[in-house]
Amino acid sequence: MAHTFPLTLPASVVAAHRIDLTAKPSEGLRVAVFDVAAAPSGDTYVLSGAGRYRTGIPSVGDPAEQNFTYGIISRYGPDGSPSDTALFAQPHPDGSPSAIPEAGDMTLAILPDGTVALSEKPGSTFLISADLSRVLETWRMPFGPVGWHWVEGSARIHRF
């Protein structure tokens, strides 16, 4: 069983945003791992995020110049080799919309049948196929001025 997994950043993201993979965090690129879950099949799933934020960047249509934030779920085989990757939280590099439009305080779980469950505090849940090819089911919690919010130190979710 592999204990170290390479962080994956899809080639489509690297190309569209012209990412310098040697860039330091101080130059705006950041990659972070948020959660890891193992499947009964021996596959391992890693929930991570990648983003670039640079000040003084004009809001132009060229993705290579824009700031971005992607949520990433990567699947690794039992030998630790990457096999699939799914992006979420903003439109994909080709412009297609994300089936999971947000990224926040999320956790990852694998159900007994291999389905991937992505949950966001305080209550949105997304079920994703084991091969990460499609969102199977979505339960979204409303947020904002008319919605729900979590109060730290409370055992309840409060409605506005």
Side-chain angles (χ1 to χ4, degrees):
M1 175 176 185
H3 296 282
T4 303
F5 299 101
L7 291 177
T8 57
L9 194 56
S12 61
V13 172
V14 174
H17 296 287
R18 289 195 292 259
I19 296 172
D20 176 2
L21 296 175
T22 64
K24 300 174 184 154
S26 61
E27 296 168 347
L29 180 65
R30 67 173 172 76
V31 178
V33 173
F34 304 116
D35 205 358
V36 177
S41 65
D43 290 345
T44 301
Y45 293 81
V46 175
L47 172 64
S48 61
R52 178 175 65 198
Y53 181 77
R54 298 178 293 183
T55 59
I57 300 299
S59 161
V60 296
D62 182 3
E65 299 300 324
Q66 293 175 341
N67 295 323
F68 63 85
T69 301
Y70 289 102
I72 303 169
I73 302 172
S74 300
R75 180 172 71 129
Y76 299 87
D79 65 351
S81 60
S83 56
D84 296 300
T85 300
L87 296 173
F88 64 94
Q90 77 171 49
H92 297 184
D94 66 3
S96 62
S98 174
I100 303 173
E102 68 245 8
D105 187 6
M106 295 186 147
T107 58
L108 193 61
I110 311 303
L111 303 181
D113 68 354
T115 300
V116 177
L118 181 65
S119 297
E120 181 178 30
K121 186 178 179 181
S124 295
T125 300
F126 307 90
L127 297 182
I128 304 163
S129 63
D131 66 358
L132 305 178
S133 65
R134 67 190 186 286
V135 175
L136 304 171
E137 198 72 49
T138 299
W139 295 276
R140 296 196 57 203
M141 178 68 78
F143 289 96
V146 180
W148 300 86
H149 72 285
W150 178 259
V151 176
E152 285 300 323
S154 172
R156 299 188 333 215
I157 296 173
H158 300 271
R159 179 151 173 81
F160 283 86

mmCIF file of all heavy atoms in Angstrom, residues 8-54:
data_model
loop_
_atom_site.group_PDB
_atom_site.id
_atom_site.type_symbol
_atom_site.label_atom_id
_atom_site.label_comp_id
_atom_site.label_asym_id
_atom_site.label_seq_id
_atom_site.Cartn_x
_atom_site.Cartn_y
_atom_site.Cartn_z
ATOM 1 N N THR A 8 -2.063 15.797 -7.769
ATOM 2 C CA THR A 8 -2.381 15.895 -9.192
ATOM 3 C C THR A 8 -3.009 17.243 -9.506
ATOM 4 O O THR A 8 -3.802 17.771 -8.742
ATOM 5 C CB THR A 8 -3.352 14.777 -9.616
ATOM 6 O OG1 THR A 8 -4.525 14.862 -8.822
ATOM 7 C CG2 THR A 8 -2.726 13.411 -9.441
ATOM 8 N N LEU A 9 -2.629 17.781 -10.629
ATOM 9 C CA LEU A 9 -3.210 19.000 -11.163
ATOM 10 C C LEU A 9 -3.450 18.701 -12.639
ATOM 11 O O LEU A 9 -2.498 18.478 -13.381
ATOM 12 C CB LEU A 9 -2.253 20.176 -10.981
ATOM 13 C CG LEU A 9 -2.802 21.573 -11.181
ATOM 14 C CD1 LEU A 9 -4.005 21.840 -10.279
ATOM 15 C CD2 LEU A 9 -1.729 22.607 -10.906
ATOM 16 N N PRO A 10 -4.720 18.610 -13.059
ATOM 17 C CA PRO A 10 -5.007 18.204 -14.435
ATOM 18 C C PRO A 10 -4.293 19.068 -15.474
ATOM 19 O O PRO A 10 -4.155 20.283 -15.312
ATOM 20 C CB PRO A 10 -6.521 18.369 -14.540
ATOM 21 C CG PRO A 10 -7.010 18.266 -13.138
ATOM 22 C CD PRO A 10 -5.919 18.874 -12.290
ATOM 23 N N ALA A 11 -3.849 18.426 -16.544
ATOM 24 C CA ALA A 11 -3.148 19.118 -17.622
ATOM 25 C C ALA A 11 -4.002 20.233 -18.209
ATOM 26 O O ALA A 11 -3.474 21.274 -18.612
ATOM 27 C CB ALA A 11 -2.750 18.127 -18.709
ATOM 28 N N SER A 12 -5.337 20.048 -18.217
ATOM 29 C CA SER A 12 -6.223 21.091 -18.760
ATOM 30 C C SER A 12 -6.136 22.369 -17.926
ATOM 31 O O SER A 12 -6.183 23.475 -18.462
ATOM 32 C CB SER A 12 -7.668 20.598 -18.823
ATOM 33 O OG SER A 12 -8.142 20.263 -17.522
ATOM 34 N N VAL A 13 -5.991 22.238 -16.624
ATOM 35 C CA VAL A 13 -5.852 23.399 -15.733
ATOM 36 C C VAL A 13 -4.495 24.064 -15.951
ATOM 37 O O VAL A 13 -4.398 25.282 -16.074
ATOM 38 C CB VAL A 13 -6.029 22.994 -14.253
ATOM 39 C CG1 VAL A 13 -5.699 24.146 -13.321
ATOM 40 C CG2 VAL A 13 -7.434 22.487 -14.002
ATOM 41 N N VAL A 14 -3.439 23.239 -16.004
ATOM 42 C CA VAL A 14 -2.092 23.768 -16.211
ATOM 43 C C VAL A 14 -2.014 24.538 -17.527
ATOM 44 O O VAL A 14 -1.488 25.652 -17.590
ATOM 45 C CB VAL A 14 -1.045 22.631 -16.172
ATOM 46 C CG1 VAL A 14 0.338 23.149 -16.539
ATOM 47 C CG2 VAL A 14 -1.016 21.983 -14.789
ATOM 48 N N ALA A 15 -2.587 23.963 -18.592
ATOM 49 C CA ALA A 15 -2.528 24.605 -19.909
ATOM 50 C C ALA A 15 -3.380 25.876 -19.963
ATOM 51 O O ALA A 15 -2.924 26.917 -20.419
ATOM 52 C CB ALA A 15 -2.975 23.625 -20.986
ATOM 53 N N ALA A 16 -4.630 25.796 -19.499
ATOM 54 C CA ALA A 16 -5.543 26.937 -19.601
ATOM 55 C C ALA A 16 -5.048 28.140 -18.807
ATOM 56 O O ALA A 16 -5.187 29.277 -19.246
ATOM 57 C CB ALA A 16 -6.943 26.550 -19.130
ATOM 58 N N HIS A 17 -4.478 27.885 -17.646
ATOM 59 C CA HIS A 17 -4.031 28.974 -16.774
ATOM 60 C C HIS A 17 -2.523 29.233 -16.896
ATOM 61 O O HIS A 17 -1.989 30.052 -16.155
ATOM 62 C CB HIS A 17 -4.408 28.686 -15.325
ATOM 63 C CG HIS A 17 -5.879 28.630 -15.096
ATOM 64 N ND1 HIS A 17 -6.677 29.758 -15.089
ATOM 65 C CD2 HIS A 17 -6.721 27.582 -14.904
ATOM 66 C CE1 HIS A 17 -7.934 29.393 -14.883
ATOM 67 N NE2 HIS A 17 -7.975 28.088 -14.771
ATOM 68 N N ARG A 18 -1.881 28.514 -17.803
ATOM 69 C CA ARG A 18 -0.424 28.623 -18.003
ATOM 70 C C ARG A 18 0.302 28.654 -16.646
ATOM 71 O O ARG A 18 1.029 29.602 -16.328
ATOM 72 C CB ARG A 18 -0.075 29.828 -18.856
ATOM 73 C CG ARG A 18 -0.477 29.640 -20.302
ATOM 74 C CD ARG A 18 0.182 30.643 -21.222
ATOM 75 N NE ARG A 18 -0.261 32.010 -21.026
ATOM 76 C CZ ARG A 18 -1.143 32.638 -21.809
ATOM 77 N NH1 ARG A 18 -1.668 32.023 -22.827
ATOM 78 N NH2 ARG A 18 -1.486 33.885 -21.557
ATOM 79 N N ILE A 19 0.096 27.596 -15.897
ATOM 80 C CA ILE A 19 0.647 27.510 -14.545
ATOM 81 C C ILE A 19 2.116 27.120 -14.601
ATOM 82 O O ILE A 19 2.496 26.162 -15.272
ATOM 83 C CB ILE A 19 -0.131 26.477 -13.706
ATOM 84 C CG1 ILE A 19 -1.577 26.945 -13.547
ATOM 85 C CG2 ILE A 19 0.531 26.248 -12.357
ATOM 86 C CD1 ILE A 19 -2.486 25.933 -12.909
ATOM 87 N N ASP A 20 2.915 27.870 -13.890
ATOM 88 C CA ASP A 20 4.325 27.546 -13.716
ATOM 89 C C ASP A 20 4.401 26.589 -12.527
ATOM 90 O O ASP A 20 4.216 26.995 -11.380
ATOM 91 C CB ASP A 20 5.123 28.818 -13.444
ATOM 92 C CG ASP A 20 6.597 28.542 -13.164
ATOM 93 O OD1 ASP A 20 7.023 27.366 -13.220
ATOM 94 O OD2 ASP A 20 7.313 29.519 -12.878
ATOM 95 N N LEU A 21 4.646 25.313 -12.799
ATOM 96 C CA LEU A 21 4.655 24.309 -11.735
ATOM 97 C C LEU A 21 5.841 24.460 -10.786
ATOM 98 O O LEU A 21 5.886 23.792 -9.756
ATOM 99 C CB LEU A 21 4.625 22.907 -12.337
ATOM 100 C CG LEU A 21 3.344 22.589 -13.109
ATOM 101 C CD1 LEU A 21 3.445 21.230 -13.779
ATOM 102 C CD2 LEU A 21 2.131 22.643 -12.196
ATOM 103 N N THR A 22 6.764 25.327 -11.117
ATOM 104 C CA THR A 22 7.884 25.584 -10.210
ATOM 105 C C THR A 22 7.640 26.821 -9.349
ATOM 106 O O THR A 22 8.484 27.182 -8.535
ATOM 107 C CB THR A 22 9.197 25.772 -10.999
ATOM 108 O OG1 THR A 22 9.085 26.940 -11.826
ATOM 109 C CG2 THR A 22 9.510 24.544 -11.852
ATOM 110 N N ALA A 23 6.479 27.456 -9.516
ATOM 111 C CA ALA A 23 6.170 28.679 -8.768
ATOM 112 C C ALA A 23 6.082 28.394 -7.271
ATOM 113 O O ALA A 23 5.647 27.327 -6.849
ATOM 114 C CB ALA A 23 4.861 29.281 -9.255
ATOM 115 N N LYS A 24 6.487 29.367 -6.504
ATOM 116 C CA LYS A 24 6.420 29.264 -5.044
ATOM 117 C C LYS A 24 5.075 29.814 -4.569
ATOM 118 O O LYS A 24 4.447 30.618 -5.252
ATOM 119 C CB LYS A 24 7.557 30.081 -4.430
ATOM 120 C CG LYS A 24 8.913 29.601 -4.856
ATOM 121 C CD LYS A 24 9.981 30.526 -4.332
ATOM 122 C CE LYS A 24 11.306 30.061 -4.878
ATOM 123 N NZ LYS A 24 12.283 31.094 -4.972
ATOM 124 N N PRO A 25 4.633 29.404 -3.376
ATOM 125 C CA PRO A 25 3.383 29.962 -2.843
ATOM 126 C C PRO A 25 3.387 31.490 -2.800
ATOM 127 O O PRO A 25 2.365 32.120 -2.999
ATOM 128 C CB PRO A 25 3.290 29.366 -1.435
ATOM 129 C CG PRO A 25 4.051 28.091 -1.532
ATOM 130 C CD PRO A 25 5.175 28.367 -2.510
ATOM 131 N N SER A 26 4.548 32.084 -2.574
ATOM 132 C CA SER A 26 4.624 33.542 -2.525
ATOM 133 C C SER A 26 4.341 34.173 -3.894
ATOM 134 O O SER A 26 4.069 35.360 -3.982
ATOM 135 C CB SER A 26 5.996 33.990 -2.020
ATOM 136 O OG SER A 26 7.010 33.537 -2.896
ATOM 137 N N GLU A 27 4.393 33.370 -4.940
ATOM 138 C CA GLU A 27 4.080 33.857 -6.281
ATOM 139 C C GLU A 27 2.617 33.625 -6.637
ATOM 140 O O GLU A 27 2.214 33.824 -7.773
ATOM 141 C CB GLU A 27 5.010 33.184 -7.301
ATOM 142 C CG GLU A 27 6.464 33.567 -7.083
ATOM 143 C CD GLU A 27 7.422 32.705 -7.882
ATOM 144 O OE1 GLU A 27 7.014 31.658 -8.421
ATOM 145 O OE2 GLU A 27 8.599 33.082 -7.969
ATOM 146 N N GLY A 28 1.832 33.166 -5.677
ATOM 147 C CA GLY A 28 0.396 33.078 -5.865
ATOM 148 C C GLY A 28 -0.188 31.697 -6.007
ATOM 149 O O GLY A 28 -1.378 31.513 -5.815
ATOM 150 N N LEU A 29 0.592 30.679 -6.347
ATOM 151 C CA LEU A 29 0.052 29.335 -6.532
ATOM 152 C C LEU A 29 0.054 28.595 -5.203
ATOM 153 O O LEU A 29 1.046 28.603 -4.477
ATOM 154 C CB LEU A 29 0.886 28.552 -7.551
ATOM 155 C CG LEU A 29 0.401 27.129 -7.829
ATOM 156 C CD1 LEU A 29 -0.970 27.159 -8.496
ATOM 157 C CD2 LEU A 29 1.403 26.390 -8.696
ATOM 158 N N ARG A 30 -1.079 27.973 -4.890
ATOM 159 C CA ARG A 30 -1.140 27.156 -3.679
ATOM 160 C C ARG A 30 -1.892 25.872 -3.979
ATOM 161 O O ARG A 30 -2.837 25.855 -4.767
ATOM 162 C CB ARG A 30 -1.792 27.894 -2.524
ATOM 163 C CG ARG A 30 -3.247 28.175 -2.739
ATOM 164 C CD ARG A 30 -3.943 28.754 -1.510
ATOM 165 N NE ARG A 30 -5.274 29.167 -1.876
ATOM 166 C CZ ARG A 30 -6.297 28.339 -2.063
ATOM 167 N NH1 ARG A 30 -6.134 27.051 -1.908
ATOM 168 N NH2 ARG A 30 -7.481 28.790 -2.403
ATOM 169 N N VAL A 31 -1.453 24.796 -3.366
ATOM 170 C CA VAL A 31 -2.114 23.496 -3.455
ATOM 171 C C VAL A 31 -2.172 22.959 -2.037
ATOM 172 O O VAL A 31 -1.175 23.008 -1.317
ATOM 173 C CB VAL A 31 -1.351 22.521 -4.384
ATOM 174 C CG1 VAL A 31 -2.024 21.163 -4.415
ATOM 175 C CG2 VAL A 31 -1.234 23.089 -5.789
ATOM 176 N N ALA A 32 -3.335 22.474 -1.622
ATOM 177 C CA ALA A 32 -3.490 21.971 -0.256
ATOM 178 C C ALA A 32 -4.341 20.711 -0.274
ATOM 179 O O ALA A 32 -5.247 20.582 -1.087
ATOM 180 C CB ALA A 32 -4.156 23.031 0.625
ATOM 181 N N VAL A 33 -4.041 19.803 0.644
ATOM 182 C CA VAL A 33 -4.832 18.582 0.818
ATOM 183 C C VAL A 33 -5.737 18.784 2.015
ATOM 184 O O VAL A 33 -5.302 19.250 3.068
ATOM 185 C CB VAL A 33 -3.913 17.355 1.028
ATOM 186 C CG1 VAL A 33 -4.729 16.122 1.371
ATOM 187 C CG2 VAL A 33 -3.074 17.111 -0.214
ATOM 188 N N PHE A 34 -7.025 18.416 1.847
ATOM 189 C CA PHE A 34 -8.014 18.616 2.905
ATOM 190 C C PHE A 34 -8.491 17.323 3.545
ATOM 191 O O PHE A 34 -8.850 17.304 4.712
ATOM 192 C CB PHE A 34 -9.217 19.383 2.361
ATOM 193 C CG PHE A 34 -8.843 20.699 1.750
ATOM 194 C CD1 PHE A 34 -9.049 20.938 0.408
ATOM 195 C CD2 PHE A 34 -8.256 21.699 2.499
ATOM 196 C CE1 PHE A 34 -8.703 22.148 -0.170
ATOM 197 C CE2 PHE A 34 -7.893 22.917 1.940
ATOM 198 C CZ PHE A 34 -8.113 23.134 0.596
ATOM 199 N N ASP A 35 -8.558 16.230 2.769
ATOM 200 C CA ASP A 35 -9.086 14.985 3.321
ATOM 201 C C ASP A 35 -8.623 13.814 2.457
ATOM 202 O O ASP A 35 -8.323 13.987 1.273
ATOM 203 C CB ASP A 35 -10.616 15.027 3.375
ATOM 204 C CG ASP A 35 -11.218 14.110 4.423
ATOM 205 O OD1 ASP A 35 -10.460 13.385 5.107
ATOM 206 O OD2 ASP A 35 -12.451 14.105 4.567
ATOM 207 N N VAL A 36 -8.596 12.635 3.064
ATOM 208 C CA VAL A 36 -8.226 11.399 2.374
ATOM 209 C C VAL A 36 -9.176 10.314 2.844
ATOM 210 O O VAL A 36 -9.519 10.251 4.028
ATOM 211 C CB VAL A 36 -6.768 10.994 2.704
ATOM 212 C CG1 VAL A 36 -6.400 9.674 2.041
ATOM 213 C CG2 VAL A 36 -5.796 12.087 2.296
ATOM 214 N N ALA A 37 -9.625 9.441 1.926
ATOM 215 C CA ALA A 37 -10.512 8.334 2.287
ATOM 216 C C ALA A 37 -10.153 7.109 1.450
ATOM 217 O O ALA A 37 -9.804 7.234 0.274
ATOM 218 C CB ALA A 37 -11.972 8.716 2.062
ATOM 219 N N ALA A 38 -10.243 5.928 2.050
ATOM 220 C CA ALA A 38 -9.932 4.680 1.355
ATOM 221 C C ALA A 38 -11.225 3.940 1.034
ATOM 222 O O ALA A 38 -12.186 3.955 1.809
ATOM 223 C CB ALA A 38 -9.035 3.808 2.220
ATOM 224 N N ALA A 39 -11.236 3.294 -0.128
ATOM 225 C CA ALA A 39 -12.401 2.520 -0.577
ATOM 226 C C ALA A 39 -12.159 1.035 -0.305
ATOM 227 O O ALA A 39 -11.009 0.593 -0.228
ATOM 228 C CB ALA A 39 -12.619 2.749 -2.072
ATOM 229 N N PRO A 40 -13.244 0.261 -0.180
ATOM 230 C CA PRO A 40 -13.088 -1.184 0.014
ATOM 231 C C PRO A 40 -12.287 -1.845 -1.116
ATOM 232 O O PRO A 40 -11.642 -2.864 -0.909
ATOM 233 C CB PRO A 40 -14.530 -1.702 0.034
ATOM 234 C CG PRO A 40 -15.367 -0.528 0.402
ATOM 235 C CD PRO A 40 -14.645 0.671 -0.146
ATOM 236 N N SER A 41 -12.290 -1.251 -2.298
ATOM 237 C CA SER A 41 -11.569 -1.802 -3.451
ATOM 238 C C SER A 41 -10.054 -1.657 -3.333
ATOM 239 O O SER A 41 -9.312 -2.247 -4.112
ATOM 240 C CB SER A 41 -12.023 -1.087 -4.723
ATOM 241 O OG SER A 41 -11.635 0.282 -4.665
ATOM 242 N N GLY A 42 -9.591 -0.859 -2.371
ATOM 243 C CA GLY A 42 -8.167 -0.590 -2.223
ATOM 244 C C GLY A 42 -7.766 0.756 -2.807
ATOM 245 O O GLY A 42 -6.650 1.213 -2.615
ATOM 246 N N ASP A 43 -8.684 1.391 -3.553
ATOM 247 C CA ASP A 43 -8.412 2.730 -4.081
ATOM 248 C C ASP A 43 -8.413 3.738 -2.942
ATOM 249 O O ASP A 43 -9.084 3.552 -1.924
ATOM 250 C CB ASP A 43 -9.469 3.145 -5.106
ATOM 251 C CG ASP A 43 -9.366 2.368 -6.407
ATOM 252 O OD1 ASP A 43 -8.334 1.707 -6.642
ATOM 253 O OD2 ASP A 43 -10.328 2.422 -7.195
ATOM 254 N N THR A 44 -7.679 4.822 -3.130
ATOM 255 C CA THR A 44 -7.647 5.911 -2.167
ATOM 256 C C THR A 44 -8.051 7.184 -2.880
ATOM 257 O O THR A 44 -7.643 7.427 -4.016
ATOM 258 C CB THR A 44 -6.231 6.077 -1.567
ATOM 259 O OG1 THR A 44 -5.857 4.846 -0.939
ATOM 260 C CG2 THR A 44 -6.193 7.193 -0.538
ATOM 261 N N TYR A 45 -8.877 7.987 -2.228
ATOM 262 C CA TYR A 45 -9.352 9.255 -2.780
ATOM 263 C C TYR A 45 -8.778 10.394 -1.944
ATOM 264 O O TYR A 45 -8.764 10.324 -0.717
ATOM 265 C CB TYR A 45 -10.883 9.313 -2.751
ATOM 266 C CG TYR A 45 -11.523 8.312 -3.672
ATOM 267 C CD1 TYR A 45 -11.678 6.986 -3.293
ATOM 268 C CD2 TYR A 45 -11.979 8.696 -4.925
ATOM 269 C CE1 TYR A 45 -12.266 6.061 -4.141
ATOM 270 C CE2 TYR A 45 -12.567 7.783 -5.790
ATOM 271 C CZ TYR A 45 -12.704 6.468 -5.386
ATOM 272 O OH TYR A 45 -13.282 5.554 -6.241
ATOM 273 N N VAL A 46 -8.322 11.432 -2.641
ATOM 274 C CA VAL A 46 -7.739 12.594 -1.962
ATOM 275 C C VAL A 46 -8.520 13.834 -2.383
ATOM 276 O O VAL A 46 -8.704 14.084 -3.577
ATOM 277 C CB VAL A 46 -6.240 12.758 -2.316
ATOM 278 C CG1 VAL A 46 -5.681 14.029 -1.696
ATOM 279 C CG2 VAL A 46 -5.451 11.534 -1.865
ATOM 280 N N LEU A 47 -8.997 14.583 -1.400
ATOM 281 C CA LEU A 47 -9.686 15.850 -1.624
ATOM 282 C C LEU A 47 -8.659 16.960 -1.431
ATOM 283 O O LEU A 47 -8.043 17.077 -0.372
ATOM 284 C CB LEU A 47 -10.839 16.013 -0.631
ATOM 285 C CG LEU A 47 -11.548 17.364 -0.609
ATOM 286 C CD1 LEU A 47 -12.245 17.636 -1.944
ATOM 287 C CD2 LEU A 47 -12.556 17.394 0.537
ATOM 288 N N SER A 48 -8.455 17.743 -2.469
ATOM 289 C CA SER A 48 -7.479 18.821 -2.392
ATOM 290 C C SER A 48 -8.017 20.061 -3.084
ATOM 291 O O SER A 48 -9.122 20.056 -3.626
ATOM 292 C CB SER A 48 -6.146 18.383 -3.020
ATOM 293 O OG SER A 48 -6.326 18.060 -4.379
ATOM 294 N N GLY A 49 -7.240 21.090 -3.064
ATOM 295 C CA GLY A 49 -7.620 22.323 -3.734
ATOM 296 C C GLY A 49 -6.391 22.972 -4.338
ATOM 297 O O GLY A 49 -5.275 22.800 -3.844
ATOM 298 N N ALA A 50 -6.603 23.678 -5.411
ATOM 299 C CA ALA A 50 -5.524 24.427 -6.051
ATOM 300 C C ALA A 50 -6.054 25.805 -6.392
ATOM 301 O O ALA A 50 -7.203 25.954 -6.824
ATOM 302 C CB ALA A 50 -5.037 23.724 -7.315
ATOM 303 N N GLY A 51 -5.235 26.792 -6.176
ATOM 304 C CA GLY A 51 -5.678 28.147 -6.483
ATOM 305 C C GLY A 51 -4.504 29.052 -6.781
ATOM 306 O O GLY A 51 -3.361 28.756 -6.435
ATOM 307 N N ARG A 52 -4.825 30.110 -7.449
ATOM 308 C CA ARG A 52 -3.820 31.134 -7.721
ATOM 309 C C ARG A 52 -4.472 32.479 -7.430
ATOM 310 O O ARG A 52 -5.578 32.757 -7.898
ATOM 311 C CB ARG A 52 -3.359 31.089 -9.174
ATOM 312 C CG ARG A 52 -2.343 32.191 -9.488
ATOM 313 C CD ARG A 52 -1.799 32.094 -10.882
ATOM 314 N NE ARG A 52 -2.851 32.321 -11.865
ATOM 315 C CZ ARG A 52 -2.759 31.974 -13.146
ATOM 316 N NH1 ARG A 52 -1.684 31.373 -13.595
ATOM 317 N NH2 ARG A 52 -3.738 32.219 -13.978
ATOM 318 N N TYR A 53 -3.791 33.265 -6.636
ATOM 319 C CA TYR A 53 -4.261 34.623 -6.366
ATOM 320 C C TYR A 53 -3.076 35.550 -6.476
ATOM 321 O O TYR A 53 -2.078 35.404 -5.777
ATOM 322 C CB TYR A 53 -4.894 34.752 -4.979
ATOM 323 C CG TYR A 53 -5.376 36.159 -4.745
ATOM 324 C CD1 TYR A 53 -6.554 36.592 -5.333
ATOM 325 C CD2 TYR A 53 -4.625 37.057 -4.008
ATOM 326 C CE1 TYR A 53 -6.978 37.904 -5.162
ATOM 327 C CE2 TYR A 53 -5.048 38.365 -3.831
ATOM 328 C CZ TYR A 53 -6.224 38.778 -4.413
ATOM 329 O OH TYR A 53 -6.638 40.070 -4.266
ATOM 330 N N ARG A 54 -3.188 36.477 -7.387
ATOM 331 C CA ARG A 54 -2.157 37.499 -7.567
ATOM 332 C C ARG A 54 -2.843 38.855 -7.530
ATOM 333 O O ARG A 54 -3.858 39.049 -8.184
ATOM 334 C CB ARG A 54 -1.435 37.310 -8.905
ATOM 335 C CG ARG A 54 -0.712 35.972 -8.994
ATOM 336 C CD ARG A 54 -0.049 35.791 -10.326
ATOM 337 N NE ARG A 54 -1.083 35.677 -11.350
ATOM 338 C CZ ARG A 54 -0.843 35.444 -12.622
ATOM 339 N NH1 ARG A 54 0.383 35.323 -13.056
ATOM 340 N NH2 ARG A 54 -1.821 35.345 -13.489
#
